[in-house]
Structures are given as structure tokens and as C-alpha cells.
């Protein structure tokens, strides 16, 4: 065996790569300075591990010794694949290497190491940034299209308003004339049909009007007002709207609703629009299918186990959604319909509306037809987050949190709008059990409790709260007939006040201010 | 991003002290250090955790833009910076001074490597100065190859 002499030693030192000379058994005979720098190993460490190179370079999924044996066997220059290596002397930092074995004098091998870590890192970054650029470019193109659509929509809504006004006026005139003629006309049945049709036209005019108003609101990005509603009511309203489409359908389609869910805080018109879009798509899907009937659209309204989210599921008996369409289904301008039959914007806008409500819209796998699920935060979560964002951060001092429990959505909406003007953070709840869970986790400053509620009445509700030793001021709200409940509970359960329905804004604000002031004095 | 380069500047009359923290790599941004109208700039590398070849490239491009009559001083260079200085031409601009740097010393008693801050003038004829452990008095062993490690001093001013 010929040993390495000084001249060769010097030559290897001039290499920019890390280089080693290995003996027959893979032991380190020589290493250059770059090997020391690459591995963060001082000469002391390298010398200690001359017979155990794998203590200096830890390979994952690569058997160095096997590879070295095959290099010896072939006696040719041999390259490894790209390898991931960790450096135990440098906190197991990971680097990417390529190894090259070159046979030297008998029994010796030159191992040069190409560190490709930076090259790989830059390549990955380049790919990621290129992908990001492509996505951003696509978004810009979409946004550009939507801006154009927005401009077109603004023009259309403006142009529609005038003829719509004329049409509405003429419809009312027809209605009046029909009333006048009703006694003279013999064919009462036909008259009734005409009157029903006129009513349908009026409803449609109103609907178009509402949509135009909503479009204008959307385009001008004005405040997105929300109110408390039961989803079942919104669905029923949407189903009424699509009755004509259902009647014109060549197939018999039955719509069933099963609902166990409570209230949500939503922009009713927008969510109704989402539901109408989805129902229309279901009707179209059923009309196109060759599957035999009976056909139906099943609507299930439910909530999650922890009651934080409300779901609605719309399941039809059409052909369902192809796997290839699922990813792009909610993309703007995606449509399976012929030109002129669908713009492809309905679902994209529907998804946007749901996301704006802090919910979502997506597909559920179902072999029997299309199954779309919409999810929305329940009324409590939505009212708290909306109002906390609006009022909670606005003032330097802590905002007052007022929670109302009432099963009438109109009362909750009324209180929401009245308190919102005063900057209170309002949380609305329609079910006492849900309200109790929220009160356990959240600091509430004032409670407004309806005396008569399903599940728990005000007395039972308050007893539960007082059993936790929570001294939250409670105001009962109800009609004058139930004032006696307040009087019975006033001292027993420490009920602060009674607010008689119907009440106006001044009365509500005055009561809350009194309670807050009283609490502050007691704390001081 | 984790360990993104952070630059802190402190100006004392015509002397700008620039403290560098984090990584010098392809993402580093030296824009805040352009158009410096000072006579002396001291770069303090004590906070640098990592430097790669992309960062070195960007550093060289940045340094070359500093007016030729501005005096440049490098101080508290960690071992990873010294290694780059030794490997890449141009990291230390001609005429720049290395004021201080860290060198690795090994304590056999404690079985640990200690980074010792040395002044350039402490190194004579590429020999590591003798360093004793402050607690035990043990003479520490220089834990690198002297000829290689101190090679950079030949590039610097006055060597």
C-alpha cells in the first residue's frame, strides 16, 4: 500500500470541496480543511472518529459502508444519489450532499463531498415563489373579471330600476282593475288564477327590488347588517321563492326540512340568496338525471355537539358532483351549464357570503346525489364576535357585555341594534342551556332574561347562575302579566330590575346604565 | 421568518456602529445600510447565527458599494464568519480591519469547546495565543488548524 505523500496532501487542500482519503476499511486517512468546516468538526473530533465516519456524518436511509463496498468492488468513479445528512457536532443540523468515490492508489479512495444544501433550498424557494406568483396572477385576473362584473352589475341594476318601477306600477293597476271587475266576471276560477299570477308578479318585483338593493349595498361596500333568524324560517322563505321553478319542473320533486337547530345572526337576504342558489342547482340536477324517482331535496338543519356551529345540509337525488369538478366547484365562472344558462358566479358568491359570515360551504361525499353543507356560527358566537370586534376594541376602558336570552329573534335583533348604537358588546341567545355554557366561560356584565322560555324559564335559569355564586346583575324582560315572576324572584334570587315589553331604546339603555352604575358603586 | 437578519445602527459623530443579528443568507436585506455618510463603520457580528454562500455574495455586493474612503472595521466575528472570510475573496474589503473574533478552544477537564474572543493583535505569526480557563487555570487547547484559521489575517490591514 502506498501512503499519501506531502505533495498530494497539499493538492487536496486547494480543493473547494470537502475531501477525504479513505483506507481499505473506510477509515479516514486524510481530510482537508473544508471537510472540517463542512462538518463543524475540529481536528480533535475528526481524529477521534477516523474509524467511524458515520459519527461525523449521519446518513438517513443510506448505508455508507455498503456503498463504500460497492465502490471498492467496481473500482470506478461512483456517484451517490442526493443524500440527507445530519451533523451531530452541529446540533444535528441537516445538509444535502452528493458523494463521489474515486479509486486512488491500491486500497485508497478519494471521497469528495458536494454540499448541495443551498442549491436545493434555493430551488425549493424558487418553485414555491413561482407557484405563489402564478396563484396571485390568477387571483388578479379573477379580481379583474369581478370588477368588470361589478361595473356591469351597477349599470344593469341602474337600468333595471326604471322599467321595474313601471312594471310594478302597472301590476298594481291591474290588481285594482281586477278588483273592480270581479263582480262582473263569470269565470271566477280564471279570475282567481289571474289574481294569483298578479300576486306572484308583485312578489317577484319585490324580490328583484330587494336583490338590486342588496347588489347596490354590496357594490358600495356599506355596512353588512345582521339580524337574528331561525334558519328554518330562512329556508321556508327561500322555498317560497323557488315555487315557480318547482312547478315548472318536469319531475315531481319533494322538499323536506328537518330542523333541530336554533338561531343564527345573519344577513337574511344574503343567506337566503345562498340557499336559493343551492336549491336551484339541486332542482336542475334532478331535472337532468336519468335516475328514476321518487325525487326529493332533503334539508337538515342541525348543530355541532358543542353547539358552536349550525349546519344545514342540502341533499338531492340528482347525479351528484364528479370528483374532477369538486376542487373547482366554488371557483368563479365554473359552470356545468350551457352558455347563457349559468354564469358560474352563483356558487362562488355563495361561498364568499358564507365565509364572510365566518362560516363555510363545501361538499360531503354522498353516493346518492349532491350533498352540500353550509355551516354558520350560532347566534351566541356570532353576536359576541361581531360586537366584540366592533365595540370591544374601540374604547380604552372595558366595554360592557350585555347578554340577552329570548326565544324571539325579533327581540334579540331589536336589542342588538339598540345596544350597538351605544357601543355595548351584545351577545344574543335563544336557548337558556347554550347561554349557561357561555356565561360559565365568558365575563358578562348584565343579563337580560325573558321570563317565559322553552327548556328553562327565567327562575330556573337564574337559580342555576346563582348556584355558581355568580353575582351578575339580571334584568327580567317580559309582558306586564309576568311582572309577578320578577316580584317573586327579586329578593330570593337578587333580580335587579324588570323591563316591560314592548320597550323602547331609551328604556332599555336607562335600565342597563342604572345596573352598571350600581355595580360600579358596589365594587368601589 | 425565523432568524431573519436584524440590523441595529448607532451613530456617534462620524462613526456608525452596525450590530447584526440572525442569519446572513439569500433573504437578507441591506437596504437600510445604503447611502451611509460616515467616515468609519464598525460591523459587530456577535449576533450572527448563520451565514451561507448566498449571504456572503450579498454581503460582498453591499460592501463594495460603501465609499472607498470609509474605514471599515469588523468586530466579534464568530467562527462561521471567519470560515467564510477564509474561503471567499472579497468578504473583507481591501483596507478593512478585523478588530476581534472568536476562536475555538477546548477544555479537556470540562470536555467542552469554548469560544474565546481574541483581538487580532493577540495573534502573532499565525499562532493561537495561550488561553487559560478562568475558573480552573487549565491551559486550553486551540481547537482548529492554526494556519487555516488565521489565514484571514493576511487579507486584513497591517498583516
Amino acid at each position: 500500500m502506498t501512503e499519501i505523500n506531502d505533495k498530494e496532501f497539499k493538492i487536496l487542500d486547494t480543493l473547494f470541496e470537502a475531501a477525504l482519503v479513505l483506507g481499505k476499511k473506510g477509515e479516514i486517512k486524510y481530510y482537508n480543511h473544508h471537510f472540517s468546516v463542512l462538518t463543524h468538526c475540529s481536528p480533535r473530533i475528526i481524529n477521534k472518529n477516523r474509524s467511524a465516519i458515520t459519527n461525523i456524518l449521519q446518513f438517513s436511509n443510506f448505508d455508507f459502508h455498503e456503498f463504500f463496498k460497492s465502490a471498492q468492488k467496481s473500482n470506478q468513479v461512483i456517484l451517490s444519489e442526493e443524500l440527507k445528512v445530519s451533523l451531530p457536532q452541529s446540533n444535528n443540523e441537516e445538509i444535502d450532499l452528493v458523494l463521489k468515490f474515486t479509486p486512488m492508489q491500491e486500497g485508497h479512495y478519494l471521497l469528495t463531498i458536494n454540499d448541495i444544501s443551498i442549491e436545493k433550498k434555493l430551488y425549493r424557494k424558487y418553485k414555491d415563489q413561482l407557484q405563489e406568483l402564478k396563484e396571485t396572477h390568477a387571483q388578479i385576473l379573477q379580481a379583474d373579471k369581478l370588477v368588470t362584473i361589478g361595473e356591469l352589475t351597477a349599470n344593469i341594476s341602474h337600468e333595471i330600476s326604471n322599467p321595474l318601477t313601471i312594471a310594478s306600477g302597472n301590476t298594481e293597476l291591474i290588481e285594482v282593475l281586477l278588483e273592480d271587475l270581479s263582480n262582473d266576471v263569470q269565470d271566477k276560477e280564471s279570475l282567481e288564477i289571474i289574481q294569483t299570477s298578479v300576486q306572484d308578479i308583485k312578489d317577484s318585483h319585490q324580490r328583484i327590488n330587494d336583490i338590486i338593493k342588496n347588489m347596490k349595498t354590496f357594490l358600495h361596500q356599506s355596512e353588512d347588517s345582521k339580524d337574528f333568524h331561525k334558519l328554518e324560517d330562512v329556508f321556508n322563505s327561500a322555498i317560497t321563492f323557488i315555487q315557480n321553478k318547482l312547478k315548472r319542473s318536469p319531475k315531481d320533486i319533494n322538499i323536506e326540512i328537518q330542523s333541530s337547530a336554533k338561531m343564527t345572526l345573519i344577513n337574511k337576504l344574503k343567506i337566503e340568496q345562498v340557499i336559493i342558489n343551492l336549491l336551484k342547482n339541486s332542482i336542475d340536477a334532478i331535472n337532468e338525471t336519468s335516475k328514476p324517482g321518487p325525487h326529493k331535496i332533503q334539508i337538515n338543519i342541525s348543530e355541532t355537539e358543542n353547539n358552536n356551529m349550525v349546519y344545514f345540509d342540502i341533499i338531492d337525488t340528482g347525479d351528484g358532483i364528479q370528483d374532477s369538478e369538486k376542487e373547482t366547484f366554488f371557483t368563479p365562472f365554473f359552470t356545468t351549464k350551457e352558455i347563457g344558462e349559468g354564469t358560474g358566479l352563483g356558487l362562488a358568491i355563495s361561498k364568499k357570503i358564507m365565509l364572510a359570515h365566518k362560516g363555510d360551504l363545501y361538499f360531503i361525499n354522498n353516493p346518492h346525489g349532491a350533498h352540500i353543507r353550509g355551516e354558520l356560527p350560532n347566534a351566541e358566537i356570532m353576536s359576541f364576535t361581531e360586537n366584540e370586534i366592533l365595540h370591544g376594541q374601540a374604547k380604552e376602558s372595558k366595554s360592557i357585555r350585555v347578554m340577552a336570552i329570548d326565544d324571539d329573534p325579533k327581540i334579540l335583533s331589536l336589542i342588538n341594534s339598540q345596544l350597538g348604537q351605544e357601543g355595548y358588546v351584545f351577545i344574543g341567545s335563544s336557548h337558556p342551556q347554550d347561554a349557561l355554557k357561555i356565561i360559565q366561560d365568558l365575563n358578562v356584565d348584565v343579563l337580560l332574561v325573558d321570563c317565559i322560555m322553552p327548556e328553562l324559564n327565567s327562575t330556573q335559569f337564574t337559580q342555576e347562575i346563582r348556584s355558581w355564586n355568580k353575582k351578575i346583575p339580571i334584568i327580567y324582560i317580559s309582558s306586564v302579566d309576568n311582572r309577578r315572576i320578577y316580584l317573586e324572584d327579586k329578593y330570593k334570587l337578587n333580580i335587579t330590575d324588570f323591563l316591560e315589553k314592548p320597550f323602547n331604546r331609551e328604556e332599555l339603555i336607562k335600565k342597563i346604565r342604572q345596573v352598571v352604575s350600581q355595580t360600579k358603586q358596589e365594587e368601589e | 421568518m425565523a432568524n431573519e437578519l436584524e440590523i441595529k445602527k448607532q451613530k456617534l459623530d462620524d462613526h456608525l456602529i452596525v450590530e447584526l443579528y440572525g442569519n446572513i443568507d439569500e433573504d437578507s436585506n441591506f437596504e437600510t445600510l445604503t447611502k451611509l455618510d460616515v467616515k468609519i463603520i464598525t460591523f459587530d457580528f456577535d449576533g450572527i447565527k448563520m451565514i451561507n454562500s448566498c449571504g456572503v455574495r450579498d454581503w460582498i455586493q453591499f460592501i463594495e458599494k460603501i465609499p472607498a474612503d470609509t474605514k471599515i472595521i469588523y468586530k466579534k466575528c464568530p467562527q462561521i464568519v471567519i470560515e467564510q472570510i477564509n474561503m471567499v475573496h472579497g468578504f473583507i474589503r481591501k483596507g478593512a480591519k478585523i478588530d476581534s473574533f472568536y476562536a475555538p478552544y477546548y477544555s479537556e477537564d470540562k470536555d467542552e469547546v469554548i469560544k474565546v474572543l481574541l483581538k487580532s493583535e493577540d495573534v502573532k505569526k499565525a499562532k493561537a495565543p495561550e488561553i487559560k480557563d478562568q475558573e480552573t487555570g487549565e491551559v486550553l487547547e486551540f481547537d482548529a488548524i492554526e494556519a487555516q484559521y488565521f489565514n484571514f489575517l493576511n487579507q486584513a490591514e497591517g498583516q
Side-chain angles (χ1 to χ4, degrees):
Chain A
M1 186 179 6
T2 313
E3 289 297 333
I4 312 293
N5 64 38
D6 280 355
K7 267 192 191 164
E8 279 165 315
F9 185 94
K10 288 270 185 273
I11 285 168
L12 292 171
D13 253 350
T14 61
L15 291 177
F16 277 119
E17 289 170 317
L20 298 168
V21 174
L22 302 179
K24 257 192 185 166
K25 293 175 187 169
E27 74 277 18
I28 298 173
K29 291 283 196 186
Y30 164 75
Y31 61 93
N32 71 355
H33 174 63
H34 288 292
F35 179 73
S36 173
V37 170
L38 174 74
T39 56
H40 300 282
C41 286
S42 65
R44 174 180 51 86
I45 303 283
I46 296 173
N47 290 339
K48 244 199 236 176
N49 291 289
R50 277 186 181 268
S51 307
I53 190 176
T54 48
N55 286 349
I56 298 169
L57 295 168
Q58 279 185 0
F59 300 93
S60 40
N61 303 320
F62 177 74
D63 190 332
F64 177 83
H65 294 292
E66 279 305 312
F67 193 77
F68 180 60
K69 276 185 198 163
S70 61
Q72 284 175 310
K73 226 176 170 180
S74 74
N75 203 33
Q76 287 175 355
V77 175
I78 187 169
L79 273 177
S80 75
E81 57 190 16
E82 291 179 6
L83 305 169
K84 206 149 214 51
V85 171
S86 61
L87 305 175
Q89 301 303 321
S90 180
N91 296 319
N92 290 315
E93 175 195 339
E94 279 195 339
I95 56 175
D96 297 284
L97 306 176
V98 174
L99 306 179
K100 184 173 169 185
F101 283 92
T102 308
M104 294 175 77
Q105 298 96 325
E106 195 179 319
H108 289 99
Y109 285 84
L110 175 66
L111 170 60
T112 46
I113 302 173
N114 187 10
D115 180 4
I116 56 168
S117 310
I118 292 172
E119 186 187 314
K120 277 196 95 162
K121 186 182 168 194
L122 290 177
Y123 176 74
R124 272 194 297 266
K125 264 194 181 169
Y126 158 72
K127 282 291 196 188
D128 289 344
Q129 284 173 0
L130 192 64
Q131 184 59 30
E132 212 177 292
L133 267 173
K134 281 181 185 170
E135 283 167 12
T136 306
H137 185 239
Q139 280 171 10
I140 290 169
L141 287 177
Q142 292 289 27
D144 200 41
K145 274 188 195 169
L146 288 171
V147 163
T148 307
I149 296 283
E151 285 164 2
L152 279 173
T153 310
N155 285 334
I156 290 168
S157 66
H158 177 73
E159 294 299 324
I160 285 174
S161 288
N162 284 342
L164 186 61
T165 307
I166 294 168
S168 297
N170 279 306
T171 312
E172 281 180 17
L173 185 62
I174 294 171
E175 210 176 27
V176 165
L177 289 172
L178 281 173
E179 274 290 326
D180 288 344
L181 289 171
S182 61
N183 291 326
D184 300 333
V185 168
Q186 301 294 320
D187 186 351
K188 298 291 179 198
E189 198 180 318
S190 296
L191 180 64
E192 216 177 282
I193 291 170
I194 294 169
Q195 283 171 329
T196 307
S197 296
V198 167
Q199 186 57 44
D200 281 347
I201 293 169
K202 274 181 74 176
D203 289 343
S204 295
H205 284 160
Q206 184 56 45
R207 179 102 205 130
I208 295 168
N209 223 18
D210 288 342
I211 290 170
I212 290 171
K213 252 194 248 169
N214 211 36
M215 276 196 310
K216 283 180 178 168
T217 307
F218 182 75
L219 289 168
H220 290 111
Q221 293 178 334
S222 57
E223 194 187 327
D224 186 12
S225 65
K226 293 186 176 72
D227 293 306
F228 290 89
H229 293 280
K230 290 184 183 171
L231 260 188
E232 193 179 342
D233 294 339
V234 182
F235 265 93
N236 282 328
S237 172
I239 290 167
T240 308
F241 186 73
I242 56 155
Q243 281 304 318
N244 278 342
K245 190 170 171 81
L246 269 173
K247 281 180 199 165
R248 286 195 308 269
S249 168
K251 294 181 182 163
D252 251 329
I253 304 173
N254 189 26
I255 300 184
E256 284 178 19
I257 301 183
Q258 274 186 346
S259 174
S260 62
K262 298 150 192 169
M263 243 180 275
T264 53
L265 179 67
I266 54 173
N267 179 303
K268 182 183 178 250
L269 198 61
K270 285 186 178 172
I271 299 295
E272 201 174 84
Q273 202 58 40
V274 169
I275 295 167
I276 289 168
N277 271 332
L278 297 174
L279 290 176
K280 276 183 173 175
N281 282 343
S282 285
I283 294 169
D284 289 338
I286 291 171
N287 286 339
E288 284 164 19
T289 187
S290 54
K291 288 196 294 189
H295 288 292
K296 75 172 183 181
I297 301 172
Q298 179 66 43
I299 299 164
N300 297 330
I301 305 171
S302 59
E303 49 197 7
T304 53
E305 272 184 21
N306 57 14
N307 296 336
N308 282 346
M309 300 298 280
V310 174
Y311 290 140
F312 62 82
D313 293 272
I314 300 175
I315 308 158
D316 63 49
T317 51
D319 287 333
I321 313 295
Q322 303 298 321
D323 280 338
S324 56
E325 293 169 346
K326 275 178 185 163
E327 273 187 32
T328 49
F329 211 77
F330 293 107
T331 311
F333 309 112
F334 171 83
T335 180
T336 56
K337 296 180 179 157
E338 298 291 326
I339 293 172
E341 288 184 16
T343 60
L345 278 177
L347 283 173
I349 290 175
S350 297
K351 177 121 177 155
K352 203 173 163 187
I353 290 170
M354 295 298 284
L355 290 171
H357 277 76
K358 295 175 183 52
D360 203 353
L361 194 64
Y362 49 87
F363 282 106
I364 304 269
N365 281 331
N366 189 322
H368 306 297
H371 181 167
I372 292 190
R373 172 170 285 179
E375 59 180 49
L376 293 162
N378 68 12
E380 292 86 352
I381 303 279
M382 195 64 166
S383 61
F384 174 65
T385 48
E386 291 271 307
N387 289 313
E388 180 76 11
I389 289 164
L390 203 53
H391 306 298
Q393 317 294 332
K395 298 175 184 171
E396 284 172 4
S397 59
K398 177 182 162 289
S399 280
I400 303 296
R401 288 183 185 159
V402 179
M403 185 171 194
I405 305 104
D406 196 311
D407 59 339
D408 185 348
K410 290 195 184 65
I411 296 288
L412 292 178
S413 295
L414 181 68
I415 299 173
N416 187 33
S417 100
Q418 288 171 346
L419 293 186
Q421 293 169 44
E422 290 295 311
Y424 290 112
V425 175
F426 175 70
I427 307 153
S429 178
S430 60
H431 275 252
Q433 296 287 8
D434 292 344
L436 285 172
K437 284 178 197 164
I438 290 183
I439 293 164
Q440 276 185 320
D441 294 330
L442 203 64
N443 285 332
V444 173
D445 298 299
V446 182
L447 277 170
L448 304 169
V449 183
D450 184 21
C451 287
I452 310 296
M453 291 183 289
E455 291 178 10
L456 286 181
N457 59 34
S458 53
T459 305
Q460 292 162 326
F461 180 84
T462 309
Q463 278 169 345
E464 184 67 26
I465 291 183
R466 294 300 182 226
S467 73
W468 305 333
N469 288 324
K470 280 209 180 238
K471 294 182 184 169
I472 309 169
I474 297 177
I475 299 174
Y476 280 0
I477 47 173
S478 197
S479 62
V480 66
D481 302 335
N482 294 318
R483 194 181 170 82
R484 56 168 179 82
I485 302 176
Y486 158 67
L487 293 170
E488 283 166 12
D489 290 350
K490 184 176 173 178
Y491 296 108
K492 253 190 330 190
L493 297 171
N494 192 18
I495 307 302
T496 312
D497 209 334
F498 181 78
L499 181 62
E500 188 180 307
K501 287 179 183 177
F503 52 85
N504 60 32
R505 184 173 158 272
E506 282 71 31
E507 287 164 343
L508 172 65
I509 302 302
K510 188 178 171 191
K511 295 269 181 198
I512 291 176
R513 279 187 186 153
Q514 276 171 350
V515 162
V516 169
S517 167
Q518 205 177 323
T519 311
K520 209 173 167 182
Q521 280 173 4
E522 284 167 13
E523 281 170 3
E524 283 163 5
Chain B
M1 260 180 276
N3 291 326
E4 200 172 301
L5 180 68
E6 201 187 319
I7 299 173
K8 288 183 183 169
K9 294 183 288 192
Q10 195 186 355
K11 198 171 172 196
L12 301 163
D13 297 325
D14 264 338
H15 186 175
L16 181 69
I17 297 167
V18 177
E19 292 172 3
L20 303 159
Y21 299 90
N23 298 347
I24 299 179
D25 58 15
E26 63 279 2
D27 294 320
S28 298
N29 189 344
F30 299 106
E31 275 170 12
T32 55
L33 295 175
T34 52
K35 295 180 187 163
L36 303 170
D37 187 20
V38 286
K39 290 205 174 95
I40 308 170
I41 306 177
T42 298
F43 293 102
D44 184 335
F45 287 90
D46 203 7
I48 291 298
K49 301 286 173 228
M50 185 275 272
I51 180 167
N52 67 14
S53 57
C54 295
V56 166
R57 193 168 291 123
D58 283 339
W59 177 264
I60 292 170
Q61 280 181 1
F62 151 67
I63 279 288
E64 281 171 358
K65 287 179 187 153
I66 295 175
D69 57 355
T70 305
K71 188 175 166 64
I72 294 176
I73 302 170
Y74 289 43
K75 80 180 216 188
K76 295 186 187 171
C77 300
Q79 185 171 353
I80 47 168
V81 170
I82 296 298
E83 284 163 358
Q84 289 297 329
I85 292 173
N86 282 329
M87 281 198 293
V88 180
H89 174 75
F91 195 90
I92 310 176
R93 197 172 76 168
K94 192 179 173 184
K97 183 187 173 203
I98 310 285
D99 174 75
S100 55
F101 60 95
Y102 287 93
Y105 281 81
Y106 174 67
S107 161
E108 199 165 338
D109 293 350
K110 292 178 183 174
D111 190 24
E112 70 176 20
V113 176
I114 303 162
K115 309 286 184 181
V116 177
L117 186 64
L118 299 178
K119 289 282 217 181
S120 296
E121 51 259 32
D122 295 340
V123 180
K124 310 285 182 207
K125 293 182 184 174
K127 286 285 172 204
E130 186 181 271
I131 300 288
K132 288 184 183 175
D133 186 292
Q134 285 176 348
E135 291 166 8
T136 62
E138 178 202 359
V139 175
L140 304 177
E141 179 191 330
F142 183 66
D143 201 29
I145 300 171
E146 285 165 319
Q148 299 281 358
Y149 199 79
F150 300 125
N151 187 44
F152 70 93
L153 292 170
N154 296 331
Q155 298 179 47
E157 182 190 60
Q159 294 283 336

